[in-house]
Amino acid sequence: DSVPLPSNVEIIAPDSATPPDIAKFSGKWSGSWDNILDHILVVETVTPGGAVVVYAYGTAPIWNIRQSGWFRAKGKFVNGSLVIETSRVTITYRLNKDGTLRGTYESGRVYSRAELVRVQ
């Protein structure tokens, strides 16, 4: 409840032409950055050319994040990982063998990790 999502979130199943290793990213994932900042990643579309995601987050007063929010972004697949780059941050998601998703967040000297699980 503490992580907002836009009202128009829509997960579109990848078509059969999408390689299975990247099709597995499709869906809604939930976890937290360093067990501090709640995070939801919704991978709305996956194609061989990339993905469209909703990146959403809660609040973390200890990190001076006092307003929750979300943004929609395009990602690309690089060596089996989903990479989202903005002008200030690079976020990389890798699928683990157990079906969870490992995230890394890098922005200047800030580096965080997250473990996310698929949610319905």
Side-chain angles (χ1 to χ4, degrees):
D1 290 344
S2 65
V3 180
L5 288 172
S7 60
N8 63 346
V9 169
E10 182 179 13
I11 299 168
I12 300 170
D15 67 30
S16 60
T18 304
D21 59 324
I22 64 173
K24 292 178 184 176
F25 282 89
S26 179
K28 184 177 178 182
W29 303 84
S30 178
S32 65
W33 293 107
D34 295 329
N35 294 315
I36 295 172
L37 178 64
D38 289 338
H39 170 45
I40 293 176
L41 176 74
V42 181
V43 182
E44 294 184 299
T45 62
V46 174
T47 66
V52 174
V53 306
V54 173
Y55 177 97
Y57 55 92
T59 61
I62 193 168
W63 286 353
N64 203 30
I65 299 172
R66 303 191 187 288
Q67 178 83 31
S68 58
W70 61 269
F71 62 87
R72 193 169 262 118
K74 290 184 180 180
K76 59 186 176 186
F77 292 100
V78 180
N79 297 324
S81 296
L82 174 58
V83 180
I84 300 155
E85 293 181 300
T86 71
S87 61
R88 298 184 304 185
V89 64
T90 299
I91 309 163
T92 304
Y93 297 95
R94 292 176 184 83
L95 280 166
N96 295 321
K97 291 186 190 304
D98 67 0
T100 61
L101 202 61
R102 172 177 291 261
T104 57
Y105 179 104
E106 298 177 72
S107 176
R109 294 188 297 222
V110 175
Y111 182 85
S112 295
R113 288 188 176 164
E115 290 291 329
L116 295 94
V117 296
R118 187 183 301 276
V119 295
Q120 299 305 319

